[in-house]
Amino acid sequence: MTTSPVPVNLADKLSQFSDLWSQKKIADLNDYEVKLAKLHGEFVWHTHDDTDELFLVVSGRLTIRLRDGDVELGPGELFVVPRGVEHCPVAEEETAILLLEPAGTLNTGDGGGPRSKAPEAL
Amino acid sequence: MTTSPVPVNLADKLSQFSDLWSQKKIADLNDYEVKLAKLHGEFVWHTHDDTDELFLVVSGRLTIRLRDGDVELGPGELFVVPRGVEHCPVAEEETAILLLEPAGTLNTGDGGGPRSKAPEAL
């Protein structure tokens, strides 16, 4: 087995970090990574040309700005940003999200810049 | 865009069906499917030889029996069953879960039998 038979408790994992805009890997699913992050404020506009990206809000509220309009997510709501679609995550309050995308997906996509950061293991 | 810019509300989607052991697709993520299901009782032992399988409990309690022991999941807890690992989901009470795995993954894996059922769109 590649995973020990212990469940991952999202609230417990979220209690283990406080830094913002830093993805924490909590599980692998084939060549995908399940990650948590805490957001507050505005990120950068970027695009993932090679992959869709799933956002699920655990607590707080997330706005995913798209060039076509905003998507507003509360707890228990998810949205998949299709590959190639420019987006900018914004959280007016501190917000916890679960992310799912292929391993190696850069948080800033094609945007690069100082906010690029690889996921960390929790 | 392959997805309309509307969030998927898990509670809303769960209110739209009541049949048990029937996977309902709520989103695509590349060649993966995000699905919901309601479980009550015991499923069948089976294995997915080609893929890991992610279970996230939304409400209720899920036991994933493994040959190595049981994994007990409550709301906000997830577990990835690694590929090739035999498992049997059991829910002592009605339980709602989110599932994530590649499109085309059969619910009964290699087990086949009368409980095999393709996912339905919600």
Side-chain angles (χ1 to χ4, degrees):
Chain A
M1 291 180 54
T2 56
T3 304
S4 67
V6 174
V8 175
N9 182 295
L10 300 184
D12 178 54
K13 291 292 185 185
L14 286 166
S15 74
Q16 295 176 28
F17 68 98
S18 58
D19 49 333
L20 301 172
W21 303 105
S22 177
Q23 300 179 357
K24 312 296 184 185
K25 189 176 86 164
I26 56 168
D28 292 292
L29 177 73
N30 299 321
D31 55 347
Y32 281 63
E33 291 178 337
V34 185
K35 299 174 284 189
L36 293 174
K38 293 182 176 178
L39 317 180
H40 195 178
E42 181 169 341
F43 201 54
V44 292
W45 281 95
H46 65 283
T47 304
H48 304 286
D49 286 329
D50 300 324
T51 182
D52 301 343
E53 182 173 36
L54 184 149
F55 295 82
L56 169 64
V57 171
V58 179
S59 65
R61 295 200 66 80
L62 176 66
T63 302
I64 302 176
R65 291 191 184 147
L66 306 172
R67 295 302 184 188
D68 287 347
D70 292 351
V71 182
E72 304 280 355
L73 301 174
E77 293 188 318
L78 68 82
F79 185 73
V80 176
V81 177
R83 69 181 66 196
V85 171
E86 197 177 14
H87 58 284
C88 179
V90 179
E92 301 287 350
E93 59 185 279
E94 186 168 308
T95 295
I97 63 168
L98 181 149
L99 283 160
L100 207 133
E101 58 199 343
T105 303
L106 190 62
N107 64 333
T108 52
D110 66 337
R115 301 189 70 171
S116 300
K117 190 173 182 189
E120 299 170 355
L122 250 197
Chain B
M1 292 181 54
T2 57
T3 304
S4 67
V6 173
V8 175
N9 182 295
L10 299 184
D12 179 53
K13 291 291 186 187
L14 286 166
S15 75
Q16 294 176 29
F17 69 97
S18 58
D19 48 333
L20 301 173
W21 304 105
S22 177
Q23 299 178 357
K24 312 297 184 186
K25 189 176 86 163
I26 56 169
D28 291 293
L29 177 73
N30 300 321
D31 55 347
Y32 282 62
E33 291 178 338
V34 185
K35 298 174 285 189
L36 293 174
K38 293 182 176 178
L39 317 180
H40 195 179
E42 182 170 339
F43 201 54
V44 292
W45 281 95
H46 65 281
T47 304
H48 304 285
D49 286 329
D50 300 325
T51 182
D52 301 342
E53 183 172 36
L54 184 149
F55 295 82
L56 170 65
V57 171
V58 179
S59 65
R61 294 200 67 79
L62 176 66
T63 301
I64 302 176
R65 292 191 182 146
L66 306 172
R67 295 302 184 188
D68 288 347
D70 293 350
V71 182
E72 304 280 355
L73 301 174
E77 294 187 317
L78 67 83
F79 184 73
V80 176
V81 177
R83 68 180 67 198
V85 171
E86 199 177 14
H87 58 284
C88 179
V90 179
E92 302 287 351
E93 60 185 276
E94 186 168 310
T95 294
I97 63 169
L98 182 150
L99 283 160
L100 208 133
E101 58 199 344
T105 303
L106 190 60
N107 63 333
T108 52
D110 65 338
R115 301 188 70 170
S116 299
K117 190 174 181 188
E120 300 169 356
L122 248 198

